[in-house]
Amino acid sequence: MSFTSSKLRSLLAVAACAALTAGCAGLRPTQVPMAVAVDKSTCTAQADTLLVLLPGAYSHPDEFVREGFVQAVQERRLAVDVMRVDAHLGYYNRGTIIDRLHDDVIGPARERGYRAVWIVGISVGGFGGLIYEEARPGELAGLVVLAPYLGDRVLSSDIANAGGLARWQGALGATPGDERSQREARLWKWLKGYAATPAPTDRPPLFLGYGTEDRFAFSHRLLAAALPADRVFTTPGGHDWPEWMRLWRAILPTLPLPSCGR
């Protein structure tokens, strides 16, 4: 079941705030179109693959440069362009993240000739990438989610008590009118498709990375169990840039991305 624009707004506002210990104070204003910055491939002038980087809730897209994410791509001489998107928490709070990603990022990228678009999302950005693919299937070539927010711990415990995502049949005792729990359950039901046997061929590859002491690691482990082992990466540590950079450097060489001269 897909998220509709009218039903998504409440989920995004509540779930995004729930992902943060600081609450929703200090949100930056949203703008249309969403601000983006493109780092072109250093080894080809006509890349047909685009990596869309979605930051965490309060992070600025320039942090992808400061922390070495873009440099790691360029060092590997990949024939891909990188787009850093200012997809901050305000878009989730307003319930417009999917529309803005489509209208300001993915759609225009296709019009400019990119044949393959990947989303690489950190924390709430990982959540954003997942719900984008759920809502608009078939538009992405792949997904990388680092320490993604995946919903309330109560729901994750329900999945664990069922024996894992493959065995889980849906949320137990969902409270009528509790839109947050219902929408998060819907996201997990969609993720359950990755646990199917044989492996699904109608979904983009999903790569997961997380710190073993991350505050969301309980949920991450449930998703990890549903994915092929070679698409799950862990590192010691919690929920911060040093862990995410180690994970990115580990995942990047395994991604099926075009390279220059190799």
Side-chain angles (χ1 to χ4, degrees), residues 107-126:
R110 293 290 191 188
E111 293 173 0
R112 289 195 296 272
Y114 290 106
R115 298 175 57 189
V117 179
W118 286 66
I119 283 182
V120 179
I122 292 176
S123 191
V124 169

Side-chain angles (χ1 to χ4, degrees), residues 164-186:
L165 193 55
R167 295 173 176 266
W168 182 63
Q169 298 301 312
L172 299 175
T175 303
D178 185 348
E179 293 189 10
R180 174 185 164 191
S181 65
Q182 292 172 7
R183 303 304 195 282
E184 290 177 356
R186 192 175 301 159

Side-chain angles (χ1 to χ4, degrees), residues 200-238:
T201 59
D202 60 343
R203 293 175 175 229
L206 172 60
F207 293 77
L208 169 68
Y210 63 96
T212 53
E213 287 78 50
D214 192 292
R215 64 179 181 268
F216 302 137
F218 183 83
S219 299
H220 298 155
R221 287 191 288 269
L222 293 172
L223 177 56
L227 299 176
D230 61 355
R231 293 182 183 173
V232 177
F233 297 77
T234 62
T235 187

Side-chain angles (χ1 to χ4, degrees), residues 140-166:
L140 300 179
L143 279 160
V144 179
V145 292
L146 303 179
Y149 173 69
L150 294 174
D152 189 271
R153 175 65 180 259
V154 172
L155 180 55
S156 297
S157 297
D158 183 22
I159 296 169
N161 290 337
L165 193 55

Side-chain angles (χ1 to χ4, degrees), residues 20-222:
L20 304 162
T21 57
C24 284
L27 290 180
R28 288 191 281 135
T30 60
Q31 64 181 62
V32 178
M34 194 155 43
V36 303
V38 177
D39 300 286
K40 301 289 288 184
S41 170
T42 56
C43 63
T44 181
Q46 297 294 330
D48 66 2
T49 299
L50 180 68
L51 298 182
V52 174
L53 306 187
L54 303 183
Y58 293 118
S59 293
H60 191 277
D62 287 351
E63 293 178 60
F64 283 112
V65 176
R66 184 193 72 193
E67 300 295 335
F69 268 64
V70 175
Q71 181 181 351
V73 175
Q74 295 174 343
E75 286 175 349
R76 294 198 61 79
R77 288 182 51 79
L78 295 175
V80 303
D81 293 341
V82 175
M83 179 178 287
R84 294 174 282 118
V85 182
D86 195 14
H88 58 75
L89 188 60
Y91 295 96
Y92 296 86
N93 191 48
R94 291 177 62 87
T96 60
I97 185 64
I98 289 176
D99 289 343
R100 295 273 51 87
L101 284 175
H102 178 263
D103 294 349
D104 304 341
V105 178
I106 310 298
R110 293 290 191 188
E111 293 173 0
R112 289 195 296 272
Y114 290 106
R115 298 175 57 189
V117 179
W118 286 66
I119 283 182
V120 179
I122 292 176
S123 191
V124 169
F127 174 77
L130 292 171
I131 62 172
Y132 186 87
E133 171 60 25
E134 196 279 340
R136 303 191 67 91
E139 293 189 8
L140 300 179
L143 279 160
V144 179
V145 292
L146 303 179
Y149 173 69
L150 294 174
D152 189 271
R153 175 65 180 259
V154 172
L155 180 55
S156 297
S157 297
D158 183 22
I159 296 169
N161 290 337
L165 193 55
R167 295 173 176 266
W168 182 63
Q169 298 301 312
L172 299 175
T175 303
D178 185 348
E179 293 189 10
R180 174 185 164 191
S181 65
Q182 292 172 7
R183 303 304 195 282
E184 290 177 356
R186 192 175 301 159
L187 174 59
W188 276 107
K189 286 181 181 178
W190 177 78
L191 288 170
K192 179 180 168 71
Y194 279 98
T197 302
T201 59
D202 60 343
R203 293 175 175 229
L206 172 60
F207 293 77
L208 169 68
Y210 63 96
T212 53
E213 287 78 50
D214 192 292
R215 64 179 181 268
F216 302 137
F218 183 83
S219 299
H220 298 155
R221 287 191 288 269
L222 293 172

